[in-house]
Amino acid sequence: MSEIIFGLDIGTTKVCALVGEVREGYLQIIGLGQTQARGMRKGMVIDVSEASLALAEAVEQAEETSGYALSQALVSMAGEHISCTNNSGAVAIGRNGSEGVTVGDIEHALDVAQAIPVPHNRQIVHLIPRGYTIDDHDGVRSPIGMHGFRLEVEAHIVTAAKPALQNLALCTENVGVQAHEFVLNSIASGEGVLDPNEREMGVIVADIGGGTTDIALYKQGKVWHTAVFPIGGYHITNDIAIGLRAPYDIAENVKIQFGDCRPDQIDSEFVFTVEPFGGEKIQVGRQDLAYVIEARVDELFNMILQEVKRSGYDGLLPAGIVLTGGSAQLRGITEIAERVLNVPARVATPRNLVGMVDRLHSPAYATSVGLLRWAMSDNQMYRPRAQQREWGKRMGNILKALLPG
């Protein structure tokens, strides 16, 4: 028996709709849709109509390639509105502890842990157990069946602004898809690219997207800390556009073709031609371009360093930092990360993929694949419905719903 799972990675630069089939615990990619994002800025919706149109195109492609009508999805989440905290909750175990710890005991303890002051305009989106203590026995990872009198759980709690999530949900509803659960980009990326040994030893995942960079810090196999920074690939491209006095699309092409984070390794005589505003072509030194990029990338990793120090896990990350997201493909970015953070760095692509995977071997798809792996994990019991049928031409329907006349 197989199950169909569906993930929607709605980013600042692209929308990726990914369909997977789970059979006997193995994930096979059976559907893929992708389009350029519209109506999004820094991971948040700024134009519902435009965002819905882009989403409709990606969902329809995914339905056509998979042969399934898709009605529920895990949806990626980013933006400065996201924040995190840690809290613990303790409960008595069963009846005098005679039955051992049950699932109900864990759920009860998590309910206590999440009883924190949450403003009316925010909501909890992740409640992730970090570890358990039974009586005086700490460091317990799986307490089910263990005996004792008192169970305590330490949990990582991620909250987000309700309006931001409601706007994302509105866009998915406009194309006939229910947002079953929201998943933070960096947590999804961690599911998609991390090795179990990295999670165990201590590692940071940094998902460098178009509008934001999201990090998740793992220790002892669990998420221990998360954060979001308002810097991404867009800001690097914007710096280049300002420096060259050129349109954004030209600056983006320059970044992709000639961009590098290591000015000291670039030939100072290497120049290329750019056509800025005004139409008269100019010569630009590739080393000068690298200085512009290096400054912004250096700023980003220093922000990550300060967050790691603030969290108290500085020096406790022997597995280093793992970079995902489209902007992780910048030449030399791992060298800047290693220099600033003083830890090993690598760029990661989704691992252990089967099926329609040719386009997915890129750090840009770590979140998309990770959404499906999150659906398979023990973190929640998500199982979306899907039925085989003729796809419903969502693009035409959404145009009718959103456009006048």
Side-chain angles (χ1 to χ4, degrees):
M1 183 177 178
S2 64
E3 295 173 295
I4 304 302
I5 52 180
F6 182 35
L8 281 174
D9 180 10
I10 308 173
T12 303
T13 57
K14 77 175 188 309
V15 177
C16 182
L18 205 59
V19 187
E21 181 177 17
V22 181
R23 188 184 296 271
E24 297 180 353
Y26 291 94
L27 173 66
Q28 181 172 3
I29 307 299
I30 63 172
L32 170 64
Q34 180 179 316
T35 188
Q36 182 177 355
R38 302 191 295 276
M40 300 290 295
R41 184 172 181 269
K42 294 185 178 182
M44 299 175 65
V45 178
I46 60 172
D47 187 322
V48 171
S49 298
E50 286 295 313
S52 298
L53 287 170
L55 190 57
E57 185 177 333
V59 171
E60 186 167 333
Q61 290 176 22
E63 289 189 325
E64 290 179 353
T65 53
S66 69
Y68 284 91
L70 304 162
S71 60
Q72 294 188 39
L74 267 74
V75 180
S76 66
M77 174 185 72
E80 292 181 79
H81 62 96
I82 295 165
S83 63
C84 76
T85 188
N86 298 316
N87 197 37
S88 60
V91 297
I93 298 173
R95 294 183 178 180
N96 299 320
S98 60
E99 298 177 0
V101 176
T102 66
V103 172
D105 291 328
I106 294 176
E107 291 177 346
H108 188 192
L110 286 171
D111 285 340
V112 175
Q114 71 174 334
I116 59 174
V118 179
H120 73 279
N121 62 340
R122 299 188 65 80
Q123 69 181 65
I124 295 174
V125 290
H126 288 303
L127 179 66
I128 303 173
R130 302 202 312 179
Y132 303 91
T133 299
I134 295 179
D135 297 337
D136 296 325
H137 182 198
D138 61 5
V140 175
R141 298 198 180 184
S142 180
I144 296 292
M146 295 183 66
H147 291 275
F149 293 94
R150 181 178 182 272
L151 171 69
E152 182 177 356
V153 59
E154 186 177 5
H156 182 67
I157 303 170
V158 179
T159 67
K162 281 184 181 179
L165 299 183
Q166 289 169 343
N167 289 333
L168 272 177
L170 176 59
C171 293
T172 67
E173 290 167 4
N174 282 340
V175 299
V177 176
Q178 178 189 356
H180 181 87
E181 182 180 0
F182 293 100
V183 183
L184 183 62
N185 280 6
S186 55
I187 293 179
S189 291
E191 292 289 329
V193 304
L194 285 185
D195 180 272
N197 290 328
E198 291 174 321
R199 294 169 179 256
E200 185 66 27
M201 293 179 64
V203 70
I204 309 170
V205 174
D207 185 75
I208 311 174
T212 63
T213 294
D214 313 289
I215 69 167
L217 190 153
Y218 289 78
K219 285 286 292 182
Q220 299 176 8
K222 303 290 186 180
V223 176
W224 282 60
H225 186 76
T226 55
V228 178
F229 306 103
I231 293 181
Y234 168 83
H235 302 84
I236 298 171
T237 303
N238 193 57
D239 291 346
I240 297 171
I242 292 172
L244 299 180
R245 296 183 176 88
Y248 183 89
D249 57 345
I250 291 178
E252 178 71 12
N253 290 333
V254 165
K255 182 181 74 174
I256 294 171
Q257 187 173 358
F258 301 108
D260 201 299
C261 301
R262 305 158 297 183
D264 57 333
Q265 298 185 28
I266 303 296
D267 184 355
S268 61
E269 301 298 320
F270 188 112
V271 297
F272 56 92
T273 302
V274 173
E275 185 174 337
F277 289 112
E280 186 174 345
K281 294 183 179 180
I282 61 172
Q283 297 290 310
V284 177
R286 191 180 179 195
Q287 188 179 64
D288 294 331
L289 173 67
Y291 278 117
V292 173
I293 295 174
E294 180 193 37
R296 181 65 81 169
V297 174
D298 187 89
E299 177 192 11
L300 170 60
F301 286 118
N302 270 287
M303 292 174 71
I304 293 175
L305 175 62
Q306 294 306 312
E307 182 66 24
V308 173
K309 288 181 176 179
R310 189 184 69 81
S311 70
Y313 301 110
D314 187 28
L316 301 175
L317 303 167
I321 185 168
V322 175
L323 306 178
T324 63
S327 297
Q329 299 174 91
L330 268 172
R331 299 173 187 89
I333 194 168
T334 55
E335 295 181 30
I336 307 298
E338 290 176 347
R339 186 189 73 203
V340 174
L341 298 168
N342 195 31
V343 296
R346 71 178 179 94
V347 175
T349 60
R351 55 189 176 85
N352 303 326
L353 296 180
V354 178
M356 301 174 58
V357 301
D358 290 346
R359 294 166 58 185
L360 301 179
H361 290 296
S362 164
Y365 295 99
T367 296
S368 306
V369 173
L371 287 171
L372 302 189
R373 294 205 181 281
W374 176 265
M376 297 171 60
S377 72
D378 295 332
N379 294 296
Q380 37 75 63
M381 299 300 294
Y382 165 73
R383 291 294 180 267
R385 296 189 305 271
Q387 58 184 19
Q388 202 160 9
R389 66 158 175 78
E390 184 178 346
W391 32 88
K393 298 301 178 187
R394 295 179 187 271
M395 183 60 77
N397 293 338
I398 196 67
L399 282 168
K400 291 178 183 178
L402 293 176
L403 298 182

